[in-house]
Amino acid sequence: DVYGHELLSDSVAELTQKTEGWAASLALVDAATKQLSTNETHMFIKALSGTTDEVHDFLAEEVLAQLDVRTQDFIVRTSALDIVDPEMAAVAAGVSVDQATECLIAAERAGLVGRYGPRAQRFHPLVRDFLQSRLLRTVGEGGVHDLHRTLGRACEERDWVMACRHYSQAGLKSEVKRVLGSAVAGIMANGMYTVA
């Protein structure tokens, strides 16, 4: 409505999911689709990710480049987290909790993360796509697996679901089975069969 762009209902739903209403993402989509037909716009939105040229260039040049190198590295490494809190961010980036808190404040000011509760944040979906592709380029597949292994270990005492997700992303099925086995009583008591 704001941009005067007619969209198919499927496009609206997909755009909502991919941008979560992030103003910068919506402005990029508008600029990239101004001259496109409704069908072409629909196809653009379906393919939209943080690695799309327009989004990638904006995030790389206009957002991330404005941050100091330490904060950039921190943000790239913490993109491995679904939910970012200072303690887990410190583990992901290999910094102190105080340093993690400072970097999260800088990331929030830059519009890269949004609040997800009193002490937790989340990367906007397109930002996370972009950062995860940069993480893969920076540390390689083995480095990404190592990071998820480290995060899986750190999550075990806190949250069996997150531990399993990280171990799964590290390709460690035996660790996923071990964590699930140790969480069986809690899974049964809380009726979390579908999650398990």
Side-chain angles (χ1 to χ4, degrees):
D1 289 347
V2 170
Y3 294 118
H5 227 96
E6 191 171 319
L7 297 175
L8 301 171
S9 60
D10 289 354
S11 296
V12 173
E14 192 145 3
L15 189 59
T16 300
Q17 178 199 359
K18 289 183 175 184
T19 66
E20 293 184 348
W22 192 42
S25 294
L26 294 170
L28 283 169
V29 171
D30 176 57
T33 60
K34 269 200 186 312
Q35 305 303 317
L36 301 180
S37 69
T38 302
N39 274 348
E40 291 168 328
T41 299
H42 178 72
M43 296 309 292
F44 178 87
I45 291 169
K46 272 188 105 37
L48 185 63
S49 81
T51 57
T52 303
D53 288 344
E54 294 86 353
V55 176
H56 180 276
D57 292 348
F58 171 77
L59 291 170
E61 296 169 18
E62 302 296 327
V63 180
L64 208 56
Q66 305 302 317
L67 302 170
D68 63 80
V69 174
R70 180 185 74 128
T71 305
Q72 288 183 37
D73 182 59
F74 169 87
I75 289 169
V76 168
R77 293 185 64 78
T78 56
S79 69
L81 297 166
D82 292 334
I83 305 299
V84 185
D85 63 53
E87 291 79 17
M88 289 307 297
V91 172
V95 299
S96 71
V97 173
D98 288 341
Q99 289 171 316
T101 301
E102 285 176 32
C103 289
L104 283 171
I105 291 168
E108 188 171 15
R109 281 191 195 126
L112 296 170
V113 293
R115 288 268 161 211
Y116 190 77
R119 294 201 67 238
Q121 295 167 307
R122 259 179 357 132
F123 286 103
H124 298 287
L126 295 176
V127 173
R128 191 165 187 229
D129 286 350
F130 164 75
L131 293 172
Q132 287 180 337
S133 72
R134 183 167 274 197
L135 176 64
L136 183 60
R137 279 196 321 272
T138 303
V139 301
E141 193 171 333
V144 172
H145 285 179
D146 289 345
L147 177 56
H148 282 293
R149 182 183 303 114
T150 300
L151 291 168
R153 274 193 295 263
C155 285
E156 281 193 45
E157 296 299 315
R158 301 176 76 192
D159 184 341
W160 65 267
V161 176
M162 293 309 296
C164 286
R165 282 189 187 149
H166 286 296
Y167 282 139
S168 178
Q169 289 175 327
L172 300 171
K173 291 180 182 178
S174 61
E175 292 299 301
V176 173
K177 289 178 185 176
R178 180 183 59 75
V179 171
L180 281 172
S182 66
V184 165
I187 292 168
M188 292 174 68
N190 295 309
M192 298 182 77
Y193 310 111
T194 305
V195 175

